[in-house]
Amino acid sequence: MTSIPQHQPGEPNPLRALTLGQLRRRTSMKWRTYPADVLPLWVAEMDVPLAEPVARAVTDAMELGDTGYPVGTAYAEALAAFAGKRWGWDDLAVERTAIVPDVMLGVVEMLKLVTGRGDPVVVNPPVYPPFYQFVTHMDRRVVEAPLGADLRLDLGTLEDAFRRAVADGGRAAYLLCSPHNPTGTVHTAEELAAVAALAERYGVRVVADEIHAPVVTAGARFVPYLSVPGAERGLALMSASKGWNLAGLKAALALAGPGAAADLARMPEEVGHGPSHVGVLAHTAALRDGAAWLDAVLAGLDENRRLLTGLLAEHLPGVVHRPGEATYLAWLDCRALGLGDDPADVFLHRGRVALSSGIPFGTGGAGHVRLNLAASPEVITEAVRRMTAALD
């Protein structure tokens, strides 16, 4: 029987801090979309309490009535300091940043700056479903460049997509997911430099969604896209949202390479009114003072990855799982189970466990599910038990 790993002494594991009863009192999407008998491991919310520095910043703001409009560069300064310590990136230019409501709305604004209606946007499926939803809603068209069989960027496929995207002479963009959701792939410096070179060769503008950048395993190295040679005309979006579970406290940062500063300067002023001031305070506190809490979460996630690997090998050996190097999401290939294109539907209705269906992730998603690992080991164990029971 697979044992549940124990967190090592030090900062307490936040993934073990809350009981299922406490979590079910939450009113967010994760806990209110499905009936109470369903175990939810789908949407990207973590089962953790707020990091103490974040809770203190928000509480202080409430006590002061500090709930007005956001202003200043404290968020960008905190991110620059975090990037230098965490990723060795000392070139994040605060003057080439802007606050935006959240990462996906920031993506929309960046794409508006570098493309027009009807222009193509290249994505790498299977990929975060809002990439399709937001791009098509803003009247751009999606061009797919699927990941390779190893779930990494396929540079040949990407070049072909770039070639097709610019064939009619219009403007084109590439929406890069880094680290990649749902696979947890961390792109290497060499891969990103090759992306930058291809983008320059074909005149494609790169917009990098780097929201999962803080959530990287100890054995991997996140490389900011704007830090690689040739990425000077790139744009990126970053946030503390995923690392510290702050989706309900909206704020993010748009970053521009030196060759894209003029583009970022054209962003309408009113976009900067969209982020929550309290969100900016929370994200700033997380980046500035929340590293120890984040490290405890990352250690807990490593334990959960090992636990899931063992549970699947023991109870669902037909499921193919390649543990990712980033995110708190597991991409599971369930095609060998014979459950059809949407195994998440079977697991939900037969096993009462909610996972994300792979179908909305685009090409390569059918027959897959995405499982949220940011839960207690006991919840992960129960989820696999229910998945197994769904096959009976």
Side-chain angles (χ1 to χ4, degrees), residues 69-70 97-110 112-113 237 250-254 263-277 280:
Y69 297 105
T97 67
I99 55 172
V100 292
D102 60 31
V103 163
M104 280 311 303
L105 291 178
V107 163
V108 167
E109 295 300 330
M110 298 304 99
K112 285 180 180 177
L113 294 175
L237 286 304
K250 293 247 179 219
L253 284 165
D263 294 307
L264 187 61
R266 290 188 290 106
M267 189 176 74
E269 178 186 352
E270 61 267 23
V271 174
H273 299 167
S276 160
H277 175 52
V280 170

Short mmCIF file of all heavy atoms in Angstrom, two decimals, residues 69-70 97-110 112-113 237 250-254 263-277 280:
data_model
loop_
_atom_site.label_atom_id
_atom_site.label_comp_id
_atom_site.label_asym_id
_atom_site.label_seq_id
_atom_site.Cartn_x
_atom_site.Cartn_y
_atom_site.Cartn_z
N TYR A 69 -7.84 53.16 -5.06
CA TYR A 69 -7.28 52.77 -6.36
C TYR A 69 -5.79 52.50 -6.25
O TYR A 69 -5.09 53.14 -5.47
CB TYR A 69 -7.52 53.88 -7.39
CG TYR A 69 -8.98 54.14 -7.67
CD1 TYR A 69 -9.61 55.27 -7.14
CD2 TYR A 69 -9.72 53.28 -8.46
CE1 TYR A 69 -10.96 55.52 -7.39
CE2 TYR A 69 -11.06 53.51 -8.71
CZ TYR A 69 -11.68 54.64 -8.18
OH TYR A 69 -13.00 54.87 -8.43
N PRO A 70 -5.28 51.56 -7.05
CA PRO A 70 -3.84 51.25 -6.99
C PRO A 70 -2.98 52.34 -7.62
O PRO A 70 -3.41 53.02 -8.55
CB PRO A 70 -3.74 49.94 -7.78
CG PRO A 70 -4.87 50.00 -8.76
CD PRO A 70 -5.98 50.72 -8.04
N THR A 97 7.28 48.16 -16.81
CA THR A 97 6.20 47.33 -16.29
C THR A 97 4.94 48.17 -16.16
O THR A 97 4.98 49.40 -16.14
CB THR A 97 6.54 46.74 -14.90
OG1 THR A 97 6.60 47.80 -13.94
CG2 THR A 97 7.85 45.98 -14.92
N ALA A 98 3.81 47.48 -16.07
CA ALA A 98 2.53 48.14 -15.83
C ALA A 98 1.62 47.16 -15.11
O ALA A 98 1.62 45.96 -15.42
CB ALA A 98 1.89 48.58 -17.14
N ILE A 99 0.83 47.64 -14.16
CA ILE A 99 -0.12 46.75 -13.50
C ILE A 99 -1.33 46.55 -14.41
O ILE A 99 -1.77 47.47 -15.10
CB ILE A 99 -0.55 47.28 -12.11
CG1 ILE A 99 -1.11 48.70 -12.20
CG2 ILE A 99 0.59 47.18 -11.12
CD1 ILE A 99 -1.73 49.17 -10.89
N VAL A 100 -1.83 45.33 -14.41
CA VAL A 100 -3.01 44.95 -15.19
C VAL A 100 -3.94 44.15 -14.28
O VAL A 100 -3.52 43.67 -13.23
CB VAL A 100 -2.61 44.12 -16.43
CG1 VAL A 100 -1.85 44.99 -17.44
CG2 VAL A 100 -1.78 42.90 -16.05
N PRO A 101 -5.21 44.01 -14.66
CA PRO A 101 -6.17 43.36 -13.75
C PRO A 101 -5.80 41.94 -13.35
O PRO A 101 -5.91 41.57 -12.18
CB PRO A 101 -7.48 43.41 -14.53
CG PRO A 101 -7.33 44.58 -15.45
CD PRO A 101 -5.88 44.59 -15.83
N ASP A 102 -5.42 41.12 -14.29
CA ASP A 102 -4.92 39.78 -14.02
C ASP A 102 -4.16 39.33 -15.25
O ASP A 102 -4.06 40.07 -16.24
CB ASP A 102 -6.04 38.81 -13.62
CG ASP A 102 -7.12 38.65 -14.69
OD1 ASP A 102 -6.81 38.76 -15.90
OD2 ASP A 102 -8.28 38.40 -14.32
N VAL A 103 -3.60 38.13 -15.21
CA VAL A 103 -2.73 37.71 -16.30
C VAL A 103 -3.47 37.58 -17.62
O VAL A 103 -3.02 38.07 -18.65
CB VAL A 103 -1.99 36.40 -15.93
CG1 VAL A 103 -1.39 35.74 -17.18
CG2 VAL A 103 -0.87 36.70 -14.94
N MET A 104 -4.65 36.94 -17.63
CA MET A 104 -5.33 36.75 -18.90
C MET A 104 -5.85 38.06 -19.48
O MET A 104 -5.79 38.28 -20.70
CB MET A 104 -6.45 35.73 -18.78
CG MET A 104 -5.97 34.29 -18.80
SD MET A 104 -4.82 33.85 -20.14
CE MET A 104 -5.75 34.27 -21.60
N LEU A 105 -6.35 38.96 -18.65
CA LEU A 105 -6.75 40.26 -19.18
C LEU A 105 -5.53 41.05 -19.63
O LEU A 105 -5.59 41.83 -20.59
CB LEU A 105 -7.55 41.03 -18.13
CG LEU A 105 -8.93 40.45 -17.83
CD1 LEU A 105 -9.63 41.25 -16.74
CD2 LEU A 105 -9.80 40.41 -19.09
N GLY A 106 -4.40 40.84 -18.96
CA GLY A 106 -3.15 41.44 -19.43
C GLY A 106 -2.73 40.87 -20.76
O GLY A 106 -2.24 41.61 -21.64
N VAL A 107 -2.89 39.56 -20.94
CA VAL A 107 -2.60 38.94 -22.23
C VAL A 107 -3.43 39.59 -23.34
O VAL A 107 -2.92 39.92 -24.42
CB VAL A 107 -2.87 37.42 -22.17
CG1 VAL A 107 -2.97 36.82 -23.58
CG2 VAL A 107 -1.77 36.72 -21.38
N VAL A 108 -4.71 39.78 -23.06
CA VAL A 108 -5.58 40.42 -24.05
C VAL A 108 -5.06 41.80 -24.41
O VAL A 108 -4.98 42.16 -25.61
CB VAL A 108 -7.03 40.52 -23.50
CG1 VAL A 108 -7.87 41.45 -24.36
CG2 VAL A 108 -7.66 39.14 -23.44
N GLU A 109 -4.68 42.59 -23.43
CA GLU A 109 -4.19 43.94 -23.72
C GLU A 109 -2.88 43.90 -24.50
O GLU A 109 -2.66 44.72 -25.40
CB GLU A 109 -4.02 44.73 -22.42
CG GLU A 109 -5.31 45.00 -21.68
CD GLU A 109 -6.30 45.81 -22.51
OE1 GLU A 109 -5.87 46.63 -23.35
OE2 GLU A 109 -7.52 45.62 -22.31
N MET A 110 -2.00 42.96 -24.18
CA MET A 110 -0.74 42.86 -24.91
C MET A 110 -0.99 42.43 -26.36
O MET A 110 -0.36 42.94 -27.29
CB MET A 110 0.21 41.88 -24.22
CG MET A 110 0.63 42.25 -22.81
SD MET A 110 1.39 43.89 -22.63
CE MET A 110 -0.02 44.85 -22.04
N LYS A 112 -3.63 43.02 -28.06
CA LYS A 112 -4.22 44.17 -28.76
C LYS A 112 -3.14 45.14 -29.24
O LYS A 112 -3.30 45.79 -30.28
CB LYS A 112 -5.18 44.91 -27.84
CG LYS A 112 -6.51 44.22 -27.61
CD LYS A 112 -7.38 45.05 -26.67
CE LYS A 112 -8.72 44.40 -26.41
NZ LYS A 112 -9.53 45.18 -25.44
N LEU A 113 -2.04 45.21 -28.49
CA LEU A 113 -0.96 46.13 -28.86
C LEU A 113 -0.20 45.67 -30.09
O LEU A 113 0.33 46.50 -30.83
CB LEU A 113 0.01 46.29 -27.69
CG LEU A 113 -0.53 46.96 -26.42
CD1 LEU A 113 0.54 46.92 -25.33
CD2 LEU A 113 -0.95 48.39 -26.70
N LEU A 237 3.70 38.43 -18.92
CA LEU A 237 2.77 38.68 -17.81
C LEU A 237 3.19 37.82 -16.64
O LEU A 237 3.43 36.63 -16.80
CB LEU A 237 1.34 38.33 -18.21
CG LEU A 237 0.57 39.26 -19.16
CD1 LEU A 237 0.50 40.69 -18.61
CD2 LEU A 237 1.10 39.22 -20.57
N LYS A 250 -7.25 40.27 -7.27
CA LYS A 250 -6.80 40.44 -8.65
C LYS A 250 -5.70 41.48 -8.79
O LYS A 250 -5.83 42.63 -8.36
CB LYS A 250 -7.98 40.85 -9.52
CG LYS A 250 -9.02 39.76 -9.64
CD LYS A 250 -9.07 39.26 -11.05
CE LYS A 250 -10.08 38.14 -11.20
NZ LYS A 250 -9.62 37.11 -12.09
N ALA A 251 -4.60 41.05 -9.42
CA ALA A 251 -3.51 41.95 -9.78
C ALA A 251 -2.47 41.16 -10.56
O ALA A 251 -2.26 39.97 -10.30
CB ALA A 251 -2.87 42.59 -8.55
N ALA A 252 -1.84 41.81 -11.52
CA ALA A 252 -0.75 41.19 -12.27
C ALA A 252 0.11 42.30 -12.85
O ALA A 252 -0.24 43.49 -12.79
CB ALA A 252 -1.29 40.28 -13.38
N LEU A 253 1.23 41.90 -13.43
CA LEU A 253 2.15 42.86 -14.03
C LEU A 253 2.43 42.48 -15.47
O LEU A 253 2.69 41.31 -15.78
CB LEU A 253 3.47 42.89 -13.25
CG LEU A 253 3.45 43.63 -11.91
CD1 LEU A 253 4.69 43.26 -11.10
CD2 LEU A 253 3.38 45.14 -12.13
N ALA A 254 2.39 43.48 -16.35
CA ALA A 254 2.85 43.33 -17.72
C ALA A 254 4.29 43.83 -17.78
O ALA A 254 4.61 44.89 -17.23
CB ALA A 254 1.96 44.12 -18.67
N ASP A 263 5.56 49.76 -27.19
CA ASP A 263 4.27 49.07 -27.26
C ASP A 263 3.57 49.16 -25.92
O ASP A 263 2.38 49.50 -25.84
CB ASP A 263 4.47 47.61 -27.66
CG ASP A 263 5.01 47.44 -29.06
OD1 ASP A 263 4.41 48.01 -29.99
OD2 ASP A 263 6.02 46.76 -29.22
N LEU A 264 4.28 48.84 -24.84
CA LEU A 264 3.67 48.87 -23.53
C LEU A 264 3.19 50.28 -23.18
O LEU A 264 2.15 50.46 -22.55
CB LEU A 264 4.65 48.37 -22.47
CG LEU A 264 4.09 48.19 -21.05
CD1 LEU A 264 2.96 47.18 -21.03
CD2 LEU A 264 5.20 47.78 -20.09
N ALA A 265 3.94 51.28 -23.62
CA ALA A 265 3.55 52.66 -23.34
C ALA A 265 2.24 53.05 -24.01
O ALA A 265 1.59 54.01 -23.59
CB ALA A 265 4.66 53.61 -23.79
N ARG A 266 1.84 52.31 -25.03
CA ARG A 266 0.58 52.59 -25.73
C ARG A 266 -0.63 51.95 -25.05
O ARG A 266 -1.75 52.15 -25.49
CB ARG A 266 0.66 52.10 -27.19
CG ARG A 266 1.59 52.89 -28.07
CD ARG A 266 1.48 52.48 -29.54
NE ARG A 266 2.02 51.16 -29.81
CZ ARG A 266 1.30 50.08 -30.05
NH1 ARG A 266 -0.03 50.14 -30.04
NH2 ARG A 266 1.88 48.91 -30.31
N MET A 267 -0.39 51.16 -24.02
CA MET A 267 -1.51 50.53 -23.33
C MET A 267 -2.40 51.62 -22.71
O MET A 267 -1.89 52.54 -22.05
CB MET A 267 -1.02 49.58 -22.24
CG MET A 267 -2.12 48.74 -21.63
SD MET A 267 -1.50 47.55 -20.41
CE MET A 267 -1.13 48.66 -19.03
N PRO A 268 -3.71 51.56 -22.91
CA PRO A 268 -4.59 52.60 -22.38
C PRO A 268 -4.46 52.76 -20.87
O PRO A 268 -4.35 51.78 -20.14
CB PRO A 268 -5.99 52.12 -22.77
CG PRO A 268 -5.77 51.21 -23.95
CD PRO A 268 -4.44 50.55 -23.70
N GLU A 269 -4.49 54.00 -20.41
CA GLU A 269 -4.32 54.28 -19.00
C GLU A 269 -5.36 53.56 -18.14
O GLU A 269 -5.07 53.10 -17.03
CB GLU A 269 -4.42 55.79 -18.76
CG GLU A 269 -4.30 56.19 -17.30
CD GLU A 269 -4.55 57.67 -17.07
OE1 GLU A 269 -4.66 58.41 -18.06
OE2 GLU A 269 -4.64 58.07 -15.90
N GLU A 270 -6.59 53.43 -18.67
CA GLU A 270 -7.67 52.86 -17.87
C GLU A 270 -7.44 51.39 -17.53
O GLU A 270 -8.03 50.87 -16.58
CB GLU A 270 -9.02 53.03 -18.56
CG GLU A 270 -9.13 52.36 -19.92
CD GLU A 270 -8.77 53.28 -21.08
OE1 GLU A 270 -8.04 54.26 -20.84
OE2 GLU A 270 -9.22 52.99 -22.20
N VAL A 271 -6.57 50.70 -18.26
CA VAL A 271 -6.28 49.30 -17.94
C VAL A 271 -5.67 49.20 -16.54
O VAL A 271 -5.96 48.27 -15.78
CB VAL A 271 -5.34 48.69 -18.99
CG1 VAL A 271 -4.92 47.26 -18.58
CG2 VAL A 271 -6.01 48.66 -20.36
N GLY A 272 -4.85 50.18 -16.19
CA GLY A 272 -4.22 50.18 -14.88
C GLY A 272 -5.16 50.46 -13.74
O GLY A 272 -4.79 50.33 -12.56
N HIS A 273 -6.41 50.85 -14.07
CA HIS A 273 -7.40 51.06 -13.02
C HIS A 273 -8.12 49.75 -12.66
O HIS A 273 -8.87 49.71 -11.69
CB HIS A 273 -8.45 52.09 -13.47
CG HIS A 273 -7.86 53.43 -13.76
ND1 HIS A 273 -8.56 54.42 -14.42
CD2 HIS A 273 -6.65 53.96 -13.48
CE1 HIS A 273 -7.79 55.49 -14.54
NE2 HIS A 273 -6.63 55.23 -13.98
N GLY A 274 -7.90 48.71 -13.45
CA GLY A 274 -8.62 47.46 -13.25
C GLY A 274 -8.15 46.60 -12.10
O GLY A 274 -8.96 45.91 -11.47
N PRO A 275 -6.84 46.57 -11.79
CA PRO A 275 -6.41 45.73 -10.68
C PRO A 275 -6.99 46.20 -9.35
O PRO A 275 -7.27 47.38 -9.17
CB PRO A 275 -4.88 45.90 -10.67
CG PRO A 275 -4.54 46.48 -12.00
CD PRO A 275 -5.72 47.26 -12.44
N SER A 276 -7.15 45.27 -8.43
CA SER A 276 -7.58 45.62 -7.08
C SER A 276 -6.40 46.20 -6.30
O SER A 276 -5.31 45.62 -6.28
CB SER A 276 -8.10 44.37 -6.37
OG SER A 276 -8.10 44.53 -4.97
N HIS A 277 -6.62 47.34 -5.65
CA HIS A 277 -5.57 47.92 -4.81
C HIS A 277 -5.18 46.95 -3.70
O HIS A 277 -3.99 46.76 -3.40
CB HIS A 277 -6.07 49.24 -4.22
CG HIS A 277 -5.13 49.87 -3.24
ND1 HIS A 277 -3.79 50.09 -3.52
CD2 HIS A 277 -5.32 50.31 -1.96
CE1 HIS A 277 -3.22 50.65 -2.47
NE2 HIS A 277 -4.12 50.79 -1.51
N VAL A 280 -3.03 44.32 -5.18
CA VAL A 280 -1.65 44.76 -5.36
C VAL A 280 -0.90 44.68 -4.04
O VAL A 280 0.26 44.22 -3.99
CB VAL A 280 -1.63 46.20 -5.93
CG1 VAL A 280 -0.20 46.76 -5.89
CG2 VAL A 280 -2.15 46.21 -7.36
#
